[in-house]
Amino acid sequence: MPPTPAPRTDDELIAATDIGTLLLYGLTRDAFHTALFGDGAVAAAVTLDRLGVLPRSVAFLADTVRAGGVRYVAELPEPLPSAEASEVLRGWLRTAADVAAGPDAESRVARWLDTVAELIGARRDSRTPHA
């Protein structure tokens, strides 16, 4: 059995993960699909969570990608409530839009955004005291 990787802090994960590159390769090469939905989604969730983005905002964008496409969402003036978070997400989506050719790639971007939304929600739930 392969050794278990050493745990990384959120900062280490973000520093080591180029989300744009993972989108580029994760949308065009099946071999990178796991990395996109693994480290890529976690790093995106940590980044957006730190910027105060709510999971429902990202889930809404996933639905908007399904309805209008990645390019449409990437060109929205403010896809998220804050300018800083919008700029970060817009960069990722512009990269995705450049390579998301066809309905399968568009669907993969929407599923990735749903995954990021779920991870943001899980992070927030883990910080909330449960009765």
Side-chain angles (χ1 to χ4, degrees):
M1 178 161 37
T4 303
R8 295 186 285 177
T9 66
D10 289 351
D11 290 333
E12 291 169 335
L13 175 69
I14 291 170
T17 306
D18 183 339
I19 297 165
T21 299
L22 282 177
L23 278 164
L24 174 70
Y25 291 112
L27 295 174
T28 58
R29 299 180 185 169
D30 287 339
F32 287 87
H33 181 80
T34 301
L36 174 61
F37 280 82
D39 283 354
V42 172
V46 170
T47 300
L48 294 177
D49 185 37
R50 287 181 172 181
L51 293 171
V53 175
L54 298 175
R56 67 176 177 252
S57 296
V58 180
F60 175 78
L61 290 177
D63 290 340
T64 307
V65 165
R66 287 183 185 93
V70 178
R71 173 98 33 220
Y72 172 76
V73 175
E75 298 305 323
L76 289 173
E78 197 161 324
L80 292 170
S82 81
E84 185 179 5
S86 291
E87 192 56 35
V88 168
L89 180 74
R90 192 177 295 110
W92 299 338
L93 292 180
R94 284 183 179 148
T95 297
D98 289 343
V99 297
D104 288 343
E106 296 271 343
S107 177
R108 189 173 283 185
V109 173
R111 287 192 329 268
W112 181 76
L113 287 169
D114 279 332
T115 301
V116 172
E118 287 293 324
L119 290 168
I120 293 170
R123 285 176 55 83
R124 287 176 174 259
D125 286 347
S126 72
R127 291 191 303 260
T128 304
H130 297 280

